[in-house]
Amino acid sequence: MSIKSIAFSARSFAISKLAAQIECWAAGDSVENCKIIFVMPKKVIVVGAGLVGGCAALAIKKLGMEVVIYDKADVATADRNADGTVNIDFGEVGGALGIQANGLLALDRLGLLDKVLEQPHTLPDGMHYAKADGSDPVLRSMIQLGVAEKFTRPVAIMRSNLHGVIFKACQSLGIRTFISKKLVSLEQTDEQVTCNFADGSSATADYVVAADGIHSVTRQTLFPEFPKADFWVTGYLGVFDLNKEVGDEKLSIPHPVSACVDGFTGTMVFSQTLGQHRGVWTVTLDKAHSEQPAEDDLDSWRPYTNLPKESARLASLVSEWGTPQQIVSCVRHANRITPVHMYDLPNIPKYSKGRVVIVGDAAHGMLPTLGYGISQGLEDVIALSDLFEEFGEDNYKTVFTLYEKIRIPRAHKVQDDSRAISATMFSSTKFKAAVGRQIMKTVFWLSKTFRLVDPVSVYDVKADIAKVIQEQKALAANEVSG
């Protein structure tokens, strides 16, 4: 009997050996007559240890590929291992975010949603939009129709808590993370890609998945002809303790989720509860008083160290805007304030080049006015991992081409919608601002009355994945028959 060779990529030696034995037995051969050839799994570097980068690493690892994460962060709470990797925890940074139905669906498919819901969170069913002084609040329903019950309400959660869930899952699968690795350049050949870092080190892999944010060095290296992100406005993220006693009052906000907006200047104070003990707020300046940060401070998430001074300054500012004193007190007594700078990445026509693909804000960083940014990044992850699973880890050209076919039109549409909403926040006259507010109220009423479905939130990327897979198979079949 001739000796057979069996080649495959291995998730683990034990699983691979069992698979080889089964194949031998199915062919009527003894295991002794089978020559088993182990093919090493492809190695993938993920650039960026943020939310989308962590999810991308997790999804790719589950396909059996080797994954290593590199991040430029130089400040992190981490247990450093002997090989220089870390069990990473960026600590209490940033504010809260909302995950819509499409993002929740992606987290569920990654096996993360149940763990996410164990964290302090809120499941809001509506958001109040008020004038700058809190008057005339209009409720916009946030309940999504046309999806399973567990996805009908968005999940509001602290970014740091979500990050912790993702990276605990990564660590449980043995995904290594290196910090203080600032990417400076990429080098590609037909066989591999090398990442060069500012500390003089480098790392080589079969593919790179770049989730290095809206100011992505990867994107600028691959496509220097593409425009950089446009500065929008400056904002501040605050965290406070709900029901904390301050003098004769307890800190609270008028509604579980609300925004006090000046439709003429564009200033806004957003506030929200997160669980029973924590609240968050976001103060957004008008364009005239926003300052673009220095080039080396674009991605900084450093909280203010002089908290009493900054909290008093911001409380005085929003009080001048006419913000309700109930919210002003929450600003004044914040226990953390982080300045942030909001950007908009112009629509770009390519998300990959060679063996490198970009995901999340690196590909389609958008204005936060719709709150869809994180969910768009999670859709990227599902599309990329499902395509690799369907076509195999060697067939990256097909995977990246179909990934772009799915994601570019979709992301551009959401980016455009975010810009359109942000444009309504700034009016040239107070009359136009008043008209805009009336239009908003009418839209909210129509949506509630006729139970209109939000096509962005209830979108399921799996449908588009199945469509392009079917088209690709049909194309391949035609080529064979032709």
Side-chain angles (χ1 to χ4, degrees):
M1 185 178 293
S2 61
I3 296 178
K4 299 180 181 295
S5 297
I6 302 171
F8 50 86
S9 294
R11 295 196 184 191
S12 72
F13 180 82
I15 294 175
S16 303
K17 186 175 181 180
L18 177 61
Q21 290 173 342
I22 291 173
E23 186 168 342
C24 286
W25 291 328
D29 294 334
S30 66
V31 176
E32 291 75 14
N33 286 341
C34 290
K35 180 181 179 183
I36 303 172
I37 302 174
F38 287 91
V39 179
M40 294 298 294
K42 296 295 185 184
K43 179 179 179 181
V44 179
I45 289 174
V46 173
V47 180
L51 303 176
V52 175
C55 286
L58 188 66
I60 293 169
K61 179 68 173 181
K62 287 183 176 181
L63 296 177
M65 290 187 260
E66 180 187 351
V67 184
V68 183
I69 303 172
Y70 292 87
D71 194 275
K72 68 179 181 180
D74 57 4
V75 179
T77 302
D79 298 322
R80 189 171 294 276
N81 303 314
D83 63 355
T85 63
V86 294
N87 298 322
I88 197 164
D89 179 2
F90 285 104
E92 290 284 338
V93 297
L97 52 81
I99 311 171
Q100 308 296 330
N102 51 330
L104 297 176
L105 187 60
L107 289 174
D108 197 42
R109 287 170 174 158
L110 291 171
L112 295 173
L113 184 56
D114 289 343
K115 290 293 184 182
V116 168
L117 295 178
E118 291 176 4
Q119 303 297 313
H121 67 279
T122 300
L123 299 173
D125 55 15
M127 176 175 174
H128 286 84
Y129 287 81
K131 293 181 179 180
D133 61 1
S135 64
D136 191 26
V138 182
L139 179 63
R140 174 198 175 194
S141 174
M142 300 179 76
I143 298 176
Q144 298 301 333
L145 306 174
V147 294
E149 176 64 26
K150 67 190 301 184
F151 308 124
T152 55
R153 288 174 171 81
V155 172
I157 185 173
M158 291 299 295
R159 178 181 293 271
S160 54
N161 288 347
L162 177 59
H163 193 270
V165 169
I166 293 169
F167 272 82
K168 283 180 181 177
C170 287
Q171 290 159 19
S172 72
L173 292 183
I175 297 173
R176 297 178 297 159
T177 303
F178 292 85
I179 60 173
S180 300
K181 295 293 181 180
K182 182 178 181 180
L183 183 71
V184 293
S185 66
L186 292 164
E187 298 174 18
Q188 293 198 63
T189 69
D190 291 338
E191 304 296 329
Q192 62 186 20
V193 54
T194 299
C195 295
N196 299 310
F197 303 105
D199 63 1
S201 64
S202 62
T204 299
D206 296 286
Y207 312 122
V208 168
V209 176
D212 49 345
I214 197 166
H215 303 294
S216 169
V217 172
T218 308
R219 183 189 67 246
Q220 294 176 38
T221 301
L222 291 179
F223 308 111
E225 70 276 16
F226 290 176
K228 293 184 179 181
D230 297 321
F231 176 68
W232 188 46
V233 292
T234 298
Y236 303 90
L237 307 177
V239 182
F240 64 95
D241 295 326
L242 274 176
N243 300 314
K244 177 182 178 181
E245 292 188 0
V246 178
D248 296 331
E249 64 177 353
K250 292 184 178 180
L251 296 183
S252 64
I253 52 179
H255 306 283
V257 188
S258 68
C260 298
V261 182
D262 186 323
F264 176 53
T265 65
T267 58
M268 181 181 72
V269 181
F270 170 87
S271 58
Q272 180 172 22
T273 59
L274 281 178
Q276 298 180 344
H277 307 293
R278 177 175 277 183
V280 296
W281 49 258
T282 302
V283 172
T284 304
L285 302 184
D286 60 305
K287 289 189 174 183
H289 293 88
S290 296
E291 292 187 15
Q292 187 167 355
E295 190 72 21
D296 59 353
D297 200 35
L298 292 177
D299 291 318
S300 173
W301 284 84
R302 299 185 185 92
Y304 282 127
T305 55
N306 192 344
L307 185 59
K309 175 183 176 181
E310 296 301 332
S311 60
R313 178 181 68 84
L314 283 175
S316 176
L317 177 65
V318 299
S319 182
E320 292 175 4
W321 295 350
T323 305
Q325 286 304 306
Q326 191 176 356
I327 299 176
V328 173
S329 292
C330 295
V331 174
R332 188 180 305 278
H333 298 286
N335 52 41
R336 186 175 77 244
I337 299 176
T338 305
V340 293
H341 306 285
M342 303 175 195
Y343 287 82
D344 176 31
L345 179 65
N347 298 0
I348 61 175
K350 288 284 294 179
Y351 289 174
S352 71
K353 187 174 185 178
R355 292 175 170 266
V356 183
V357 63
I358 56 177
V359 297
D361 284 351
H364 43 67
M366 60 190 66
L367 296 172
T369 44
L370 284 175
Y372 290 151
I374 177 62
S375 295
Q376 287 306 296
L378 293 173
E379 287 180 9
D380 292 346
V381 169
I382 297 300
L384 194 61
S385 61
D386 279 14
L387 290 169
F388 263 125
E389 185 173 27
E390 176 67 31
F391 295 102
E393 59 189 54
D394 290 316
N395 202 0
Y396 72 94
K397 291 182 179 180
T398 297
V399 170
F400 290 174
T401 297
L402 296 183
Y403 166 76
E404 291 181 324
K405 186 174 182 179
I406 295 169
R407 296 303 302 144
I408 290 177
R410 161 75 172 168
H412 284 182
K413 173 66 167 59
V414 180
Q415 285 179 286
D416 291 342
D417 288 349
S418 296
R419 294 184 190 108
I421 292 296
S422 70
T424 66
M425 297 175 64
F426 306 94
S427 300
S428 57
T429 67
K430 292 186 177 181
F431 174 75
K432 289 183 178 180
V435 171
R437 180 168 179 78
Q438 189 59 47
I439 292 173
M440 177 191 71
K441 294 168 72 172
T442 302
V443 170
F444 289 173
W445 180 84
L446 290 171
S447 178
K448 180 179 179 180
T449 302
F450 296 100
R451 298 171 62 83
L452 302 180
V453 173
D454 177 6
V456 175
S457 295
V458 302
Y459 169 84
D460 186 352
V461 70
K462 286 278 190 178
D464 279 343
I465 295 170
K467 180 181 178 181
V468 299
I469 288 175
Q470 185 178 13
E471 291 173 349
Q472 184 66 21
K473 287 183 176 180
L475 180 62
N478 289 337
E479 290 178 352
V480 171
S481 61

